[in-house]
Amino acid sequence: MMPLFAVICRDKPGALQTRLDTREAHLGFIRDSGIVRMAGPLIQDGEMRGSLLILEADDLAAAQDWAANDPYKSAGLFDSVEVIEWKKVIG
């Protein structure tokens, strides 16, 4: 099994419309890449304000490359993106 990586993204303040406008492209990118094992938005005050994705990738560089090519990133949605190796223990 390849290593897992958490991609933790925080949206820029007030960028919900950018997220909504780019959502279909983002979801298509997830489906087409074939390496996303889990994904979903971070919710704050009842609103989507970030993303958490778990990737199965060859290495950290591959996971970072995936994150750099996410349509949300290209649209300028994110205030910050962190990619870190993650180990599944439960679930």
Side-chain angles (χ1 to χ4, degrees):
M1 186 169 123
M2 287 190 283
L4 298 172
F5 297 88
V7 180
I8 305 159
C9 309
R10 299 286 185 165
D11 295 359
K12 291 178 180 172
L16 180 59
Q17 193 59 52
T18 300
R19 174 176 279 277
L20 297 175
D21 292 346
T22 315
R23 188 167 172 80
E24 286 308 312
H26 167 73
L27 294 174
F29 178 70
I30 286 174
R31 281 190 301 273
D32 294 345
S33 70
I35 68 168
V36 179
R37 299 298 165 248
M38 286 187 274
L42 300 174
I43 307 296
Q44 188 174 3
D45 298 326
E47 188 176 283
M48 294 183 289
R49 297 218 188 136
S51 300
L52 171 62
L53 305 103
I54 303 298
L55 311 180
E56 187 174 19
D58 290 331
D59 53 31
L60 180 60
Q64 290 170 327
D65 183 63
W66 185 95
N69 288 291
D70 182 345
Y72 278 167
K73 174 82 169 160
S74 303
L77 174 63
F78 298 135
D79 191 37
S80 67
V81 176
E82 180 180 8
V83 182
I84 186 167
E85 190 167 352
W86 180 74
K87 182 177 179 178
K88 181 179 175 181
V89 175
I90 298 173

